[in-house]
Amino acid sequence: MPSLLAVAAHPDDESLLAGGVLAQHHVAGARTAVVTATWAPDSRRAPELAAALTVLGAGSPRLLGYNDARNPEAAPGQPRLVDAPLDEAVGRLVAHIRDFRPEIVVTHDALGQLTGHPDHVRTHQITLLSVEAAGLAHLHPEAGEPWQPSAVYAATHPESGVGLLRPLLEGVGKTVLAVPDSYVTTSVDVTAWADVKWRAVLAHEGEVARERTLPGILARLPEADRNQIIQTEHFTRLRLGPAKGDPGQLTI
């Protein structure tokens, strides 16, 4: 199993978007870790994140420390992730990529993970730039020795796989954004690790207690319905680095 780094916008996103594959890789003996873009190390959600990562076997929290676009208590005095200078945010993430040296990086998709949260979208953008920059010695030399991951996967939801989530999310006033089925390159059955994944979600107690959050919605469902939702994780593998000999390559 290759080493795996998940880059998530908020505490709980790591468990919801890739909790199954994180648990799968950990059980198989692979190194795993999570970088979270928002919320401060001394915030109320940091201990919950630490508890969730312990369940998943993903080490200690790695927090970029930016403020949430919709919750100013996440990191008081810090810029919102969506307002932070792009090069600064990329530099912070590059440092974690070079420190952990993952073979695979997983993050949100370009739509912003079902609901289109601006922090999800921004995390997707920053991650793609950071993965490329991490392999180039002249970019962010202060962030450590270059390291190029082998693959980036965007966690996503195909239109045919939204299922029960659509009425549940629309019922609390949320938009549901899914990708065409053809956009999904990898679907992972994580049934064997669904219990671990769910325990990691439950570690985010503050979110579970809220009615409009996905952890809260899932916690109120019958177990069979919840398992149906969390037992498959979908991803799109994104191209990395220069590619030679492509059919559409320009001739100059």
Side-chain angles (χ1 to χ4, degrees), residues 11-12 44-45 48 204-211 213 215-216:
D12 81 6
R44 62 174 174 80
R45 295 189 66 181
E48 297 178 349
H204 296 280
E205 296 176 355
E207 296 303 286
V208 171
R210 298 173 61 196
E211 292 188 359
T213 66

Side-chain angles (χ1 to χ4, degrees), residues 7 24 26 37 85 93 143 174 181-182 205 246:
V7 183
Q24 175 194 35
H26 171 68
L93 182 52
K174 293 182 181 287
D181 287 16
S182 59
E205 296 176 355
D246 283 353

Side-chain angles (χ1 to χ4, degrees), residues 14 71 111 126 161 173 244 247:
E14 80 293 328
N71 192 337
L111 297 181
I126 290 169
K244 297 181 179 179

Side-chain angles (χ1 to χ4, degrees), residues 11-247:
D12 81 6
D13 288 333
E14 80 293 328
S15 301
L16 292 166
L17 68 87
V21 296
L22 281 166
Q24 175 194 35
H25 282 240
H26 171 68
V27 169
R31 295 183 304 114
T32 60
V34 173
V35 174
T36 308
T38 65
W39 291 78
D42 60 352
S43 65
R44 62 174 174 80
R45 295 189 66 181
E48 297 178 349
L49 174 61
L53 298 188
T54 297
V55 172
L56 296 172
S60 300
R62 295 168 175 258
L63 293 147
L64 298 188
Y66 289 110
N67 221 332
D68 188 308
R70 296 173 178 169
N71 192 337
E73 72 168 289
Q78 297 301 312
R80 300 190 309 164
L81 177 67
V82 294
D83 299 328
L86 184 59
D87 197 54
E88 173 196 280
V90 168
R92 291 188 187 185
L93 182 52
V94 165
H96 286 287
I97 293 172
R98 289 178 177 172
D99 175 66
F100 185 70
R101 303 172 78 82
E103 294 171 79
I104 294 176
V105 174
V106 173
T107 191
H108 301 275
D109 67 9
L111 297 181
Q113 209 68 41
L114 272 183
T115 61
H117 194 295
D119 288 336
H120 294 178
V121 174
R122 191 61 163 172
T123 299
H124 169 86
Q125 296 165 347
I126 290 169
T127 301
L128 296 191
L129 292 172
S130 298
V131 168
E132 182 175 18
L136 298 173
H138 294 297
L139 294 178
H140 303 283
E142 75 288 349
E145 291 298 312
W147 174 258
Q148 182 63 71
S150 300
V152 175
Y153 285 84
T156 193
H157 291 81
E159 291 170 350
S160 66
V162 175
L164 294 174
L165 278 175
R166 184 177 298 280
L168 290 170
L169 292 171
E170 290 179 344
V172 294
K174 293 182 181 287
T175 301
V176 177
L177 304 174
V179 301
D181 287 16
S182 59
Y183 195 71
V184 174
T185 60
T186 307
S187 294
V188 184
D189 181 352
V190 297
T191 302
W193 304 278
D195 178 63
V196 177
K197 176 179 179 175
W198 180 237
R199 285 192 285 115
V201 173
L202 289 177
H204 296 280
E205 296 176 355
E207 296 303 286
V208 171
R210 298 173 61 196
E211 292 188 359
R212 295 185 70 252
T213 66
L214 186 51
I217 291 170
L218 293 174
R220 297 192 301 272
L221 287 180
E223 183 178 358
D225 290 346
R226 181 172 62 245
N227 287 341
Q228 183 180 337
I229 291 171
I230 70 171
Q231 68 189 6
T232 306
E233 294 175 354
H234 302 282
F235 303 91
T236 300
R237 181 167 181 166
L238 304 177
R239 177 171 292 178
L240 271 179
K244 297 181 179 179
D246 283 353

